[in-house]
Amino acid sequence: MPPLADTIKRLVFGRKLRSETLGETLLPKRIALPIFASDALSSNAYATQEILLVLAAGGAALTHYSVWMAAAVVLVFTIVVLSYRQNVHAYPSGGGDYEVVTVNLGPKPGLVVASALLVDYVLTVAVSVSAAVANVASVFPVVFKHQTGVALGAVTLLTLMNLRGVRESGAAFAIPVYGFIASIFLMLGYALWQVLNGATLEAESKSWQLAPESVHTYSGLALVFLLMRSFSSGTTALTGVEAISNGVPAFRHPKSKNAATTLAMLGVISMAMFSGITWLALKTGVKIAEHDADLIGLPAGESQKTVIAQVANAVFSDFRLGAVIVAGATALILVLAANTAFNGFPVLGSVLARDGYLPRQLHTRGDRLAFSNGIVALAVVAGLLIWIYDAQVSRLIQLYIIGVFVSFTLSQLGMIRHWTRLLRNERDRRARSTMLRSRFTNAVGFVLTGTVLVIVLLTKFTHGAYIVCIAMPIIFAIMAGIRRHYDRVAVELAPSADEEFALPARVHAVVLISKIHKPALRALSFARATRPTTLEALTVAVDSDTTDALMAEWDRRGIPVPLRVLDSPFREITRPIVDHVVNLRRQSPRDLVVVYVPEYIVGRWWEQLLHNHSALRLKARLLFTPGVLLTSVPWQLESSEQAAARVEQQAAGAVRRGAPSSSVAEQVVASQGTSRRAGDGHRD
């Protein structure tokens, strides 16, 4: 790589990190929290709103049910957090739900969870970034016309920051995440102080009314279904909880303990924020509807504000800067929520690649010890979704949640199986008591998350969730196919206990010649130096005058290698050579045919367009011919030597490593060829 490009890369991504410095990139809890919890924390920006939005279909009279819906969400959140604390202790390798389910339920259920998590991570990036851009557009209307481009730019920025490595991205994200937490709790604290002092907090929409045509009467089973739908919408607050269990390897030692502590911190902070925002929404009388036209009282030409924005305006009615700070922190946290996926997706992809379900390139770390290939893959797929859906949150949100609760439910079931297996062999009463409590917790979690999954499927399937239901089986089939391929290759390549490779009976060397020049002479010298059983030069007669001139030059130089000319009446080059080589193999199946192909090594990109096309076509054909070995004989043009000099100057230890200059190597090869010329010749 030229120095300029390398300099730019280092400026963007930072200096390379040695593998032994991996421990230095591990995260303390204060940095791990903003990295892995930004998704779950940002859900508080719209979880309460989703509950109220569904209840609005039944009119303002149903708003009081939001307290019970929020309580149910807090209960589920608590159970899930308690369960995942056990996960990180039992399975600390970073596989998270995938590992739990694979170990306890089998590979196929594990792949179902992996498919769900991969989909969820992609949607987390697409939804979070699109929501952030929508919030920015509500403040700066000019952004409305460029939402897709701005969203793609945000994804690109997040990608570059994560390619620098998790520690640096965590440090960059810590301030805004903690800023969001502080702004919400300051708002809650200030609101509580005002209420205790007798102040009245009113949202701007408190006096507004819902349009009669948008309100329906619900009773009996219809009311129950509406409440269940409202509850399922509120469970968006749980998105991102699983990220910590997938990111255990990124924590400092003791990894499991630190991950469990961070998970508990997330649970307490997130549920306190969610409960507080829901309380404030009811206290201030916020009203919200699916469509702006359904709100009577909304000024003409304006769009309704989000719940959290209305609450902030009500609390900070005498301090406008406070409301601006809350709004800005909320918009920023929505962008950073995508960072959770940028940390979870690559780790999960690495685990899946290790197990053979994804390409193995996803298992390797880049210059900065980050899983660079996984980060780029996530950015590409999420960017594609944003482009397809025009960064419209209302369309993307319908695809959300399903993947989360598929993984939640199967993980709970896997942990039940885990504790049941351990209980069979445990005799200590205290240990058994602990395991029984843990199994009960997971059983409750399984029932709750399974119920939520069913509700989400029933209420969102026709609104776009069916796409996820189609995508997950496709991803499952692709990963299963990749694993089958790797398994077949492993079986094919595995040597038996008494495997032996017999030497070829004879070696036939063929040197391809188009004209007599330095690359051709070097190829002839190299071929002769290997002392094959037979050696011949091969050319194709495309033009009779050129062929006659080549043969005359060959005889004039006295080259001690026979030159075979292949006829080509249709002026083809590749086919006659391939047919000749295949014929050699057919005559002697136990023999080895070595084809020497002279090639130019160029230093400029445009020179690639002018050279080596015939050589590339020949290699592409001959690589699929059994018993044929291809040997490229490079000839470095001056432009390539200049490029090489730019990449790496002669190192101080080059001589000690035995790396002679190209001119010295040429002299050695030439002298060897001269000394052997007399007896080397053409030996049958």
Side-chain angles (χ1 to χ4, degrees):
M1 182 182 296
L4 179 59
D6 187 62
T7 300
I8 294 174
K9 183 178 180 181
R10 297 282 72 84
L11 286 174
V12 174
F13 302 116
R15 62 181 178 84
K16 295 181 181 180
L17 297 178
R18 299 177 65 88
S19 297
E20 56 265 26
T21 64
L22 178 60
E24 299 176 10
T25 68
L26 298 179
L27 305 172
K29 295 187 289 292
R30 68 179 184 278
I31 299 298
L33 180 65
I35 283 184
F36 293 110
S38 56
D39 182 18
L41 292 172
S42 71
S43 300
N44 292 290
Y46 49 78
T48 298
Q49 178 171 309
E50 291 299 316
I51 292 176
L52 295 176
L53 202 57
V54 174
L55 292 177
L62 298 184
T63 304
H64 68 279
Y65 283 111
S66 60
V67 175
W68 300 104
M69 299 302 99
V73 171
V74 171
L75 175 63
V76 175
F77 199 109
T78 303
I79 294 296
V80 170
V81 167
L82 290 175
S83 175
Y84 273 97
R85 278 174 56 84
Q86 299 165 19
N87 285 24
V88 298
H89 284 293
Y91 300 94
S93 66
D97 293 339
Y98 164 70
E99 184 176 6
V100 171
V101 175
T102 299
V103 171
N104 295 288
L105 302 180
K108 289 185 178 179
L111 272 191
V112 172
V113 168
S115 304
L117 287 173
L118 292 176
V119 169
D120 178 60
Y121 281 135
V122 172
L123 287 171
T124 295
V125 176
V127 171
S128 298
V129 172
S130 299
V133 173
N135 277 273
V136 172
S138 64
V139 179
F140 303 103
V142 68
V143 177
F144 273 117
K145 298 180 180 180
H146 310 285
Q147 280 184 269
T148 302
V150 173
L152 292 176
V155 171
T156 302
L157 180 60
L158 285 169
T159 303
L160 294 176
M161 295 186 69
N162 278 277
L163 287 175
R164 290 188 66 91
V166 293
R167 184 179 178 87
E168 291 196 20
S169 65
F173 296 145
I175 295 176
V177 171
Y178 283 125
F180 173 72
I181 295 173
S183 67
I184 296 299
F185 280 112
L186 285 174
M187 179 181 70
L188 295 176
Y190 187 50
L192 182 60
W193 181 82
Q194 292 184 80
V195 170
L196 292 177
N197 283 276
T200 301
L201 303 179
E202 292 187 357
E204 61 178 318
S205 60
K206 183 177 182 178
S207 60
W208 300 351
Q209 301 295 323
L210 292 169
E213 60 271 17
S214 68
V215 178
H216 305 278
T217 302
Y218 291 90
S219 61
L221 291 177
L223 177 60
V224 172
F225 186 81
L226 182 69
L227 295 178
M228 292 172 64
R229 183 182 165 203
S230 173
F231 163 69
S232 68
S233 296
T235 56
T236 54
L238 277 73
T239 56
V241 174
E242 78 287 349
I244 291 179
S245 68
N246 292 334
V248 177
F251 282 81
R252 283 183 179 174
H253 296 281
K255 294 177 180 291
S256 294
K257 180 181 178 181
N258 288 334
T261 302
T262 304
L263 190 56
M265 293 166 57
L266 164 63
V268 172
I269 294 172
S270 186
M271 285 301 93
M273 294 169 64
F274 171 69
S275 302
I277 293 171
T278 303
W279 168 70
L280 273 180
L282 293 176
K283 187 69 178 177
T284 58
V286 169
K287 290 186 177 65
I288 192 166
E290 186 173 357
H291 305 290
D292 292 344
D294 295 336
L295 276 178
I296 300 175
L298 177 68
E302 291 188 12
S303 298
Q304 57 183 326
K305 295 182 176 67
T306 61
V307 167
I308 197 168
Q310 292 190 52
V311 166
N313 286 330
V315 172
F316 295 109
S317 59
D318 57 346
F319 180 57
R320 302 304 300 172
L321 181 60
V324 173
I325 292 174
V326 171
T330 302
L332 190 55
I333 193 69
L334 284 167
V335 174
L336 300 187
N339 191 61
T340 299
F342 272 103
N343 285 279
F345 182 96
V347 173
L348 177 60
S350 173
V351 173
L352 290 169
R354 179 200 64 192
D355 293 345
Y357 292 111
L358 287 177
R360 288 173 180 160
Q361 294 88 333
L362 295 175
H363 186 53
T364 57
R365 295 180 183 268
D367 288 350
R368 299 287 297 173
L369 297 179
F371 294 109
S372 304
N373 293 327
I375 292 171
V376 173
L378 172 61
V380 169
V381 179
L384 186 61
L385 268 181
I386 290 173
W387 178 70
I388 292 174
Y389 286 91
D390 295 323
Q392 298 299 310
V393 181
S394 60
R395 298 170 63 191
L396 286 167
I397 201 70
Q398 304 301 327
L399 313 181
Y400 216 13
I401 303 299
I402 290 180
V404 177
F405 278 94
V406 166
S407 61
F408 281 175
T409 304
L410 289 178
S411 176
Q412 304 294 316
L413 182 59
M415 289 303 293
I416 294 172
R417 181 75 65 85
H418 169 79
W419 298 124
T420 302
R421 186 178 67 251
L422 293 182
L423 282 166
R424 293 195 189 105
N425 302 319
E426 185 58 58
R427 296 293 178 263
D428 183 76
R429 293 183 61 184
R430 180 174 297 179
R432 286 183 61 85
S433 177
T434 301
M435 291 178 184
L436 286 170
R437 287 197 302 270
S438 298
R439 187 172 66 174
F440 175 77
T441 300
N442 289 126
V444 174
F446 171 70
V447 173
L448 289 178
T449 56
T451 301
V452 174
L453 175 61
V454 172
I455 294 172
V456 171
L457 284 172
L458 291 175
T459 58
K460 292 194 173 186
F461 185 84
T462 58
H463 296 282
Y466 70 91
I467 297 176
V468 175
C469 296
I470 295 173
M472 284 176 53
I474 292 175
I475 296 173
F476 178 97
I478 291 173
M479 290 194 293
I482 292 174
R483 176 59 185 264
R484 285 195 298 270
H485 168 77
Y486 279 137
D487 288 344
R488 285 196 303 267
V489 172
V491 171
E492 185 177 345
L493 299 182
S496 60
D498 55 349
E499 185 81 34
E500 292 184 2
F501 281 97
L503 294 175
R506 296 188 302 174
V507 177
H508 304 281
V510 177
V511 181
L512 303 184
I513 303 293
S514 61
K515 63 179 67 174
I516 298 178
H517 48 23
K518 291 180 180 180
L521 295 177
R522 173 183 283 184
L524 289 168
S525 297
F526 284 1
R528 294 176 62 202
T530 63
R531 305 183 67 83
T533 308
T534 65
L535 172 62
E536 66 176 355
L538 198 65
T539 189
V540 179
V542 176
D543 177 80
S544 58
D545 293 339
T546 302
T547 303
D548 292 341
L550 172 63
M551 296 174 65
E553 179 72 4
W554 196 271
D555 293 336
R556 187 185 70 79
R557 288 179 174 270
I559 299 174
V561 176
L563 175 64
R564 181 186 295 270
V565 179
L566 301 178
D567 291 330
S568 180
F570 297 103
R571 297 161 303 285
E572 293 181 286
I573 296 177
T574 304
R575 183 181 296 275
I577 294 175
V578 173
D579 291 343
H580 177 74
V581 172
V582 170
N583 186 55
L584 286 176
R585 279 285 300 159
R586 188 180 296 114
Q587 292 175 1
S588 306
R590 295 181 56 193
D591 293 354
L592 176 67
V593 179
V594 183
V595 180
Y596 292 85
V597 184
E599 291 189 65
Y600 306 143
I601 306 301
V602 298
R604 303 181 181 90
W605 67 267
W606 54 267
E607 291 178 318
Q608 296 284 357
L609 304 175
L610 307 178
H611 301 286
N612 297 323
H613 296 290
S614 297
L616 290 174
R617 287 196 297 270
L618 280 167
K619 288 194 292 185
R621 291 287 300 277
L622 293 175
L623 280 173
F624 293 95
T625 306
V628 175
L629 177 65
L630 283 172
T631 301
S632 295
V633 183
W635 179 271
Q636 292 81 8
L637 298 178
E638 289 184 3
S639 61
S640 69
E641 294 180 358
Q642 295 170 1
R646 293 195 300 268
V647 174
E648 180 180 5
Q649 300 295 332
Q650 184 79 357
V655 176
R656 193 163 57 247
R657 293 197 302 265
S661 65
S662 58
S663 59
V664 173
E666 276 298 305
Q667 294 174 9
V668 172
V669 172
S671 63
Q672 290 176 346
T674 302
S675 64
R676 293 173 181 166
R677 181 173 298 175
D680 218 5
H682 183 116
R683 295 183 289 110
D684 293 319

